[in-house]
Amino acid sequence: MTSETTGTGSTFGRVGIWSSALHASRVDEAGGKAIADALAELDELGYGTVWIGGSPTPGDAAAVVAATRSITVATGILSIWNHTAEEVAAVVSAIDPDARGRFVLGLGVSHGPMVPQYAKPYSAMVDYLDALDAAEPFVGSGHRVLAALGPKMLKLAADRSLGAHPYLVTTEHTAEARAALGPDALLAPELTVVLDTDLDRARTTARTMLGMYLQLPNYTANLLRLGFTEGDFEGGGSVRLLDALFALGDAEVVTRRTREYLDAGADHVALQILTADAGGAGLPRAEWRALAEAFGSEL
């Protein structure tokens, strides 16, 4: 990969799919085939990008690239504590050269409670980017994005990558991130979706997922900066918090909420579909189809 930027809109599209169920390394042969079949359909549905969530390995990313034909593939995100820059570069070099340009390396510093060696995350990210630049082949700034919430990491994302992939953020954060990044850097926030018109039930499903993230200081500190209070974190999240962070309802609600993020300054929105069954961690292909139809040419 070269350091030339690949462009934002043309590369990522306006709407993508974010899923933590795309890890071939964590499933058996039947599970791997289910993932490959789902990816082939995503490729055909017209989404601009598929984001591999849940701290994928470099090998997981290579497998997704191999299972797709035209969609952009991004890690959302790969933890810098789990894989060295040299390991990542070696896996990238093994991707078919004709497909390698579709791969974007999303990097993040994860969270202190999840990483025993967590220390000086900003400096660690700078060092990791330096190592990527020195690796052979190097994964240049035009093929990587950073998970960024606060001002320092957002600036680093603009300076050393295509831009930022913020997770669990509001439209207000999106507007602030756009101002921090400047007009040219990519801004691709994640938005979690619960396709359920029973709002009480949809909020229950959302709280099941959100409760875990409310144990992580990086997220709660960001939400406090945005004007939420400790009271909003109780019981898995207040209605005010849920309605600001999620798209809850039918496909029309999802398209409207997605446009709100785009209007706030996002170039691309990565939709994570959360379902009540299996902890929401499966392959919600029916929901992916329904949303592709609802967005139509807006994808």
Side-chain angles (χ1 to χ4, degrees):
M1 288 185 176
T2 71
S3 61
E4 294 179 2
T5 57
T6 57
T8 53
S10 61
T11 302
F12 287 82
R14 284 166 58 86
V15 181
I17 290 296
W18 191 105
S19 174
S20 60
L22 303 175
H23 300 232
S25 63
R26 299 180 189 176
V27 297
D28 58 16
E29 183 177 351
K33 184 179 185 306
I35 290 173
D37 289 346
L39 287 167
E41 183 173 21
L42 277 179
D43 216 351
E44 295 297 324
L45 286 173
Y47 291 105
T49 303
V50 57
W51 296 83
I52 315 166
S55 297
T57 68
D60 291 329
V64 173
V65 174
T68 53
R69 294 188 303 171
S70 59
I71 196 169
T72 296
V73 175
T75 52
I77 52 80
L78 185 143
S79 172
I80 65 170
W81 310 104
N82 293 345
H83 309 280
T84 67
E86 293 75 17
E87 177 187 355
V88 170
V91 174
V92 169
S93 71
I95 295 175
D96 186 322
D98 291 336
R100 201 178 299 161
R102 294 190 287 112
F103 175 59
V104 177
L105 178 65
L107 297 169
V109 296
S110 190
H111 305 273
M114 301 171 67
V115 180
Q117 68 270 40
Y118 191 89
K120 298 182 178 179
Y122 178 84
S123 297
M125 179 61 80
V126 171
D127 291 344
Y128 198 93
L129 295 175
D130 289 343
L132 279 177
D133 287 344
E136 182 60 41
F138 72 97
V139 183
S141 61
H143 290 275
R144 61 197 189 204
V145 297
L146 304 188
L149 294 175
K152 284 184 66 177
M153 198 65 80
L154 285 166
K155 185 177 187 307
L156 185 66
D159 291 344
R160 301 287 304 273
S161 79
L162 278 172
H165 175 52
Y167 186 90
L168 203 68
V169 293
T170 64
T171 54
E172 290 77 13
H173 181 274
T174 299
E176 293 178 5
R178 171 50 67 203
L181 288 166
D184 299 326
L186 174 76
L187 179 54
E190 174 271 350
L191 172 62
T192 304
V193 170
V194 181
L195 279 172
D196 190 339
T197 55
D198 183 325
L199 283 182
D200 288 337
R201 188 170 59 202
R203 288 175 180 138
T204 297
T205 300
R207 286 189 176 102
T208 301
M209 172 263 205
L210 183 59
M212 176 187 72
Y213 292 105
L214 294 179
Q215 306 303 311
L216 300 175
N218 290 358
Y219 290 126
T220 54
N222 188 55
L223 293 169
L224 291 170
R225 282 196 299 268
L226 291 168
F228 295 97
T229 68
E230 296 285 351
D232 286 304
F233 305 154
E234 296 175 0
S238 67
V239 169
R240 178 172 83 120
L241 181 61
L242 293 169
D243 290 351
L245 291 176
F246 292 80
L248 309 172
D250 59 15
E252 183 178 349
V253 170
V254 176
T255 58
R256 175 177 56 79
R257 290 282 286 134
T258 300
R259 292 185 196 111
E260 289 172 359
Y261 282 80
L262 294 168
D263 289 344
D267 299 293
H268 169 94
V269 179
L271 301 178
Q272 177 180 186
I273 314 302
L274 190 64
T275 58
D277 61 306
L283 297 165
R285 294 176 64 173
E287 288 84 353
W288 291 345
R289 292 183 204 113
L291 289 179
E293 181 177 356
F295 279 102
S297 62
E298 291 185 74
L299 290 179

